[in-house]
Every structure is written in structure tokens, then in C-alpha cells.
Amino acid sequence: MSIRIILGVLILPILVSCKSEKKTESKKETAKPNVVVIMVDDLGYADLGFLPYAPTDVKTVGTPFMDNIAKKGTYFTNAYATAPICSPSRAGFITGKYQQRWGNYWYNEGGLPADQKTIPQALKELGYATKKIGKTHLNGGPVEYPTDHGFDEFLGFMHHTWDYIRLSEKDVEAYRRKGVDYLGNQVIGPLLKDKEKKKISYENSFTTEVFADEAIEYIKRDRGDQPFYLQLEFNAVHQPTYVVPEHYAKQFGIPYVPFDREAEEWEFPYWEPSKESHQDFHQDWGHMRKTYPYGRKAYLAQLKALDDNIGKIYKTLEAQNILENTLLIFLSDNGGTINTYANNTPLNGYKYMFGEGGIRIPIIVSWPSKLPVSQQRENLVSTMDIFPTIMELVEGNTPDVDGKSLVHAINDPSSKTHESICWSKGKDDTWVVRQGDWKLISSKGWVHSDFRLENGLCVKAEDYIYPEGIKLFNLKEDIGESKDLSEKYPDKVKALKEIYKKWSSEMSAPRTSEGTLK
């Protein structure tokens, strides 16, 4: 055999192998990324360990996995929800629009209309598998249920909140035996699954772990080359944070009372119908009419559990070798609430109101193989921007939305995103416009029970008060909204009022979930 033939026999497999490698690399480079959105509920603005103003208790407990998402991505310091409560803000997020356009301002208003395109619908058109896990609360509407607005699969609940551990039909039956047919805000029992709305009971479980485990199972599936979109909406750290699983209660020194279905009477943290109405129980512990000494510890326990389970998901993405081709977005639905003992430092205000503490949130965008890491941006941005951001990064067509892609802001620190953003409760006395460093707010005012910490335990403090009337703040100089500049800068007040007036003229008046004007 000639030397030429021998060399040919030896070299040909190498050349074929090289061609195959190049083909595989090219395919990997052009494959669309998986997209994972993690939305948490009512997170305190200061309650992430990497932040300079995180309180000592958070730094002690640590949030290493949520911190790591920021380390591997871009954290936006001037990011906002489209409302200070969950249902309208989630509608704004999933459509990329001001939900006020169809009259969705507050609870039980506007819903999700069938003619509003959603993130999962747009991604399905690009060949994505789609799954929703956790909370869905969009104020009703014809397509509120997840499989009706673009998700192939769903596991979760349709309510503003859910119990953390009582997830079985047996828990509901225990109340029925006491003659209770309507639980009100004591939302317990099975979760809903998929299009069929099958009720799935969980024994000795915990929603934060259930949702994380469901996400992990979905991530591990073999889909071949099909990318996936996973929208994971934890109910943590929304009330009832006082219902803490045993292993976390022990870790944080919180008195633990198991839910004994056969008990003659139930003790706090469970509602006992023979003692009080569900409304009274909810006002006491869900709206802080009573101060729970372990309230902050319970919040921290739920925060720790949340971080632990986000860590499990992150490690699964790594173990499956798909992290590098996964776009990961982290956000909260609105600001932290005083009712769960969240910390919104250095902001003024809480959930339910239009102070910075009610609407300013963390947004983190991470895709280390494609986007800069360990970045911070001060651009004025909104949850509406996540839809166009995803579409640009997956190279899809963005529908007509109010949001703007954040990709340019991530890549160019000197860029601008929004010139101005507006908010409204649908009433003339409660609205906001933010432009540059300036914020003009018309507030009805807000008074709420407050607490302070003594040796780690919560005790009642003087009421928290947010001022009433029209106020002007320079947030760059005064992020805590302590100095009203409206009298000093009347021209600025006038200019911002004009921006709000124009914006308001483009929005619908408040509507019912069925779409009729209220």
C-alpha cells in the first residue's frame, strides 16, 4: 500500500471529525437560548445580600444564589413595576405594556384581554416549549389561566397568595368538618395543573420547594434541540410568611406549631373559625393589626428558603450544561410590604402605595456567555421592558409594546432607556410621573401600623405615614423622598403634570375584569 493511501486512510477520519466538530459548534452558537424568568413576591428592596444597604440580618442570613445572579449579570437600580400591587403589575410584565391601556389599575380591574399578546405566545411562535409555575393573578379576564395565554403547561394557583404548607384536599376537608365552606383569605389546598385544571394535593410539602422541584424536573427533560421558556413565580415572600415549615422555623428560632387536622382547636399561625372570622384573622396577621414578635424572623426564613431553592435551580442549569445558553431574568412583582416585615431601605413607602418603596424593584438580567457580567445600570427601566429584551435576545419580532429592550442599556452604560414612566390608581388623586431624576407624585396619603426590632424581635412602633398631596422629589439627591421641592420648582411641576396628562389621555378608564367601564 502506498504511503499516500496510508496517509489518506489516517487523515480522513480526522477531517470528518473536524467538520463534525465545527458543525456542532456552529449549531450551538446559533441555537436559541432557553429563557428562565424568576419572579418573587413582595421582596423588600433592601433584602438582597449583595446590596450596600442590605440590613445586617439579611447579610447574616445571606442570599448567595440571588446575589450570584446579579454577579453574573446586570442589576438595574432604577427599575420599576407598573403598579404597587401584584395583579396589574404582572399583567404589565407579561404583555410589555401599560396595563392601564385596558383599564387594569387595581384589584379586580381590567383582567387579561384575549387581544393582548404575551411573552409565552410570542416565544411559542418561535418554537419554544413553555411552562408556568407558581402564582397567577392577573385580575381575571378571558385568558387569565396560563394555558389560555401561551403556556403549554402549568402548576400553581390562581389567587393573590397561597398557604405555604397546607397543600392538600385533606386540609380543606378539615375546615369543612368545622362547617366552613368559605375560607376567604385563608387560601389552602391543592394546586392546579395544566389545561385540565386538575387538583394536585401535596402532603408534608412547602410551596417554595414544590415550585423549585417542578422547575428542576422541567429543566432536566430531554427536548432535543427545542429551547424552553420557564416562568417561575414563587409566592415567597408574600404573606402568610408566618406559616413557616418546621425545618426553617427551627433554623430561625421561630415557635413551630404543626397543623393537626384532627385538633379540636387550631392555634396561630392557623385560623381557628370558632375564635374569630377569617377577615379578623387576616387583618390581625396579614395586615399587621397585631404585631407578630417573630415577624421579621419568619420573613427571613422564607427569604432563606427562597434563596436555597433558587440555588437548586441554578445548580441544575449548570449540571445540565445549559446555563451558558440560558437567559436568566430575576425580578419582584412590586415593592416589599410592611405587612410581612420587609425592609425597603433606603426607599420611602411600601406595597399598595406609589412611594418608591411600593413601585421600585430589583431587575437583574443575566446571560454570561453573551452579556456583560457584574454590571450595574441606573437607566430608568420597567418590567414592561422584559418582553422586548427577551425578543431581541432570541432574535424574534417584538410586537407593539410600551417597553423597550434593555440590551442596549446592558451593553452601553451611557445609553438611555425611558425618558419618562407613569403610574396611576385610576383616580385623580393618586398618580406618579418619573422623568430623569425627578418624580412628581399625587398621593392620597397612607397610614399603616409599623414595627421596630428589639433583639431581633418585632415590637409595635408609631404608625408609618406617607404624606398626602402633590410632592416633587429629586430622587438622585433624595431617594428617600424626604424633601418636597414642588414650591421651589413650579415649572418642573407643571411640565411633569403635562407628561402625566398626555399619558393618562392614552389610557382607558378603570374597567371590570370583563372589560366594561366601571
Side-chain angles (χ1 to χ4, degrees):
M1 187 180 289
S2 72
I3 189 69
R4 184 179 294 177
I5 293 172
I6 293 171
L7 287 172
V9 171
L10 292 171
I11 294 170
L12 182 60
I14 297 171
L15 292 173
V16 171
S17 174
C18 289
K19 280 187 178 180
S20 176
E21 253 181 56
K22 285 182 180 177
K23 188 175 181 182
T24 302
E25 286 174 7
S26 174
K27 184 178 179 182
K28 192 173 182 181
E29 286 171 5
T30 58
K32 291 189 181 299
N34 304 303
V35 182
V36 177
V37 173
I38 298 176
M39 180 181 285
V40 298
D41 204 335
D42 293 0
L43 179 67
Y45 191 73
D47 291 327
L48 289 170
F50 74 92
L51 297 171
Y53 35 79
T56 301
D57 55 11
V58 168
K59 289 188 179 294
T60 301
V61 170
T63 56
F65 295 107
M66 289 186 277
D67 296 352
N68 189 53
I69 298 173
K71 184 178 179 181
K72 298 291 181 66
T74 299
Y75 169 68
F76 288 89
T77 64
N78 274 295
Y80 289 90
T82 60
I85 56 171
C86 56
S87 33
S89 75
R90 290 166 190 263
F93 150 72
I94 203 169
T95 61
K97 290 185 176 181
Y98 285 114
Q99 72 282 350
Q100 295 94 339
R101 289 193 180 279
W102 57 90
N104 189 334
Y105 289 84
W106 211 247
Y107 291 123
N108 302 317
E109 292 181 348
L112 181 62
D115 61 355
Q116 298 299 321
K117 195 165 195 174
T118 65
I119 296 172
Q121 286 172 336
L123 290 176
K124 275 179 68 69
E125 291 174 0
L126 296 174
Y128 276 74
T130 59
K131 178 152 187 164
K132 169 73 177 289
I133 300 173
K135 174 175 176 172
T136 296
H137 191 217
L138 302 169
N139 279 340
V143 294
E144 181 185 36
Y145 194 76
T147 58
D148 292 332
H149 62 255
F151 289 102
D152 301 324
E153 302 176 31
F154 170 60
L155 175 72
F157 59 90
M158 306 293 295
H159 208 280
H160 72 94
T161 189
W162 208 255
D163 196 88
Y164 284 95
I165 62 175
R166 290 175 293 174
L167 307 176
S168 169
E169 186 64 34
K170 294 176 184 178
D171 298 316
V172 179
E173 290 172 358
Y175 276 96
R176 289 197 185 114
R177 288 196 297 272
K178 295 194 174 190
V180 178
D181 292 321
Y182 179 63
L183 289 164
N185 282 303
Q186 313 314 307
V187 278
I188 66 174
L191 301 174
L192 298 176
K193 188 172 181 64
D194 295 338
K195 187 174 184 178
E196 298 76 21
K197 302 182 181 179
K198 184 179 179 181
K199 291 185 177 182
I200 308 294
S201 286
Y202 292 85
E203 299 288 336
N204 303 314
S205 294
F206 172 35
T207 53
T208 304
E209 293 175 351
V210 168
F211 296 150
D213 290 346
E214 186 78 7
I216 288 167
E217 185 277 327
Y218 188 70
I219 290 166
K220 285 182 175 180
R221 286 188 204 170
D222 183 2
R223 298 180 187 79
D225 296 330
Q226 185 184 26
F228 65 83
Y229 173 60
L230 174 61
Q231 189 171 306
L232 173 56
E233 300 187 33
F234 287 102
N235 56 318
V237 283
H238 192 290
Q239 67 88 16
T241 47
Y242 47 79
V243 180
V244 181
E246 184 175 10
H247 53 296
Y248 282 104
K250 288 180 177 178
Q251 183 179 344
F252 283 80
I254 301 166
Y256 175 71
V257 179
F259 183 63
D260 180 359
R261 300 185 186 114
E262 305 302 324
E264 186 174 333
E265 286 190 352
W266 294 309
E267 300 175 37
F268 178 82
Y270 313 111
W271 170 49
E272 170 48 56
S274 67
K275 296 178 181 177
E276 58 187 337
S277 68
H278 70 85
Q279 295 100 324
D280 280 337
F281 182 87
H282 185 58
Q283 285 298 315
D284 285 348
W285 308 113
H287 284 280
M288 224 166 108
R289 190 163 63 184
K290 293 182 179 178
T291 304
Y292 179 41
Y294 296 92
R296 179 64 179 174
K297 287 180 179 289
Y299 174 92
L300 292 171
Q302 300 287 3
L303 183 69
K304 175 63 174 171
L306 176 65
D307 191 70
D308 288 347
N309 283 277
I310 288 175
K312 285 162 51 178
I313 293 165
Y314 198 90
K315 289 176 181 177
T316 301
L317 291 169
E318 287 182 315
Q320 296 297 115
N321 294 318
I322 58 176
L323 181 63
E324 291 302 302
N325 198 39
T326 298
L327 169 63
L328 181 56
I329 298 172
F330 175 91
L331 69 156
S332 179
D333 63 340
N334 45 247
T337 172
I338 198 170
N339 301 333
T340 60
Y341 305 87
N343 189 323
N344 281 345
T345 302
L347 309 180
N348 194 12
Y350 293 90
K351 177 185 176 180
Y352 302 113
M353 58 168 299
F354 292 84
E356 289 294 287
I359 53 178
R360 193 186 287 222
I361 60 167
I363 289 180
I364 304 170
V365 179
S366 175
W367 188 9
S369 66
K370 298 289 183 183
L371 298 174
V373 300
S374 297
Q375 300 294 303
Q376 182 171 295
R377 297 288 182 266
E378 296 182 1
N379 300 57
L380 179 58
V381 304
S382 165
T383 52
M384 298 182 295
D385 302 330
I386 292 170
F387 195 164
T389 301
I390 292 172
M391 296 311 291
E392 179 172 349
L393 290 172
V394 304
E395 298 180 347
N397 293 321
T398 303
D400 182 21
V401 295
D402 294 308
K404 297 182 179 182
S405 173
L406 300 176
V407 176
H408 188 52
I410 292 169
N411 288 320
D412 180 6
S414 65
S415 67
K416 282 190 175 183
T417 306
H418 290 276
E419 289 294 330
S420 63
I421 299 177
C422 296
W423 294 260
S424 175
K425 196 176 178 180
K427 300 178 180 180
D428 292 338
D429 59 3
T430 311
W431 51 266
V432 173
V433 57
R434 169 87 196 262
Q435 183 190 48
D437 297 332
W438 295 96
K439 173 181 179 178
L440 184 68
I441 178 169
S442 175
S443 172
K444 196 175 181 181
W446 209 64
V447 179
H448 198 284
S449 299
D450 203 355
F451 73 97
R452 69 178 188 275
L453 290 174
E454 289 187 2
N455 300 317
L457 298 179
C458 301
V459 298
K460 187 171 178 57
E462 292 184 9
D463 286 349
Y464 169 83
I465 300 174
Y466 189 88
E468 187 171 357
I470 291 181
K471 310 290 181 183
L472 177 70
F473 302 108
N474 184 315
L475 295 178
K476 187 171 185 177
E477 299 174 355
D478 178 27
I479 194 172
E481 300 176 286
S482 62
K483 301 173 184 176
D484 175 24
L485 302 175
S486 57
E487 292 187 7
K488 186 175 181 180
Y489 297 102
D491 290 343
K492 179 58 70 175
V493 171
K494 182 179 179 181
L496 294 178
K497 279 184 176 180
E498 286 301 313
I499 291 174
Y500 173 74
K501 184 178 178 181
K502 182 179 183 301
W503 174 85
S504 182
S505 70
E506 297 173 3
M507 304 298 125
S508 168
R511 294 177 180 270
T512 65
S513 298
E514 292 73 34
T516 57
L517 288 171
K518 293 183 77 172

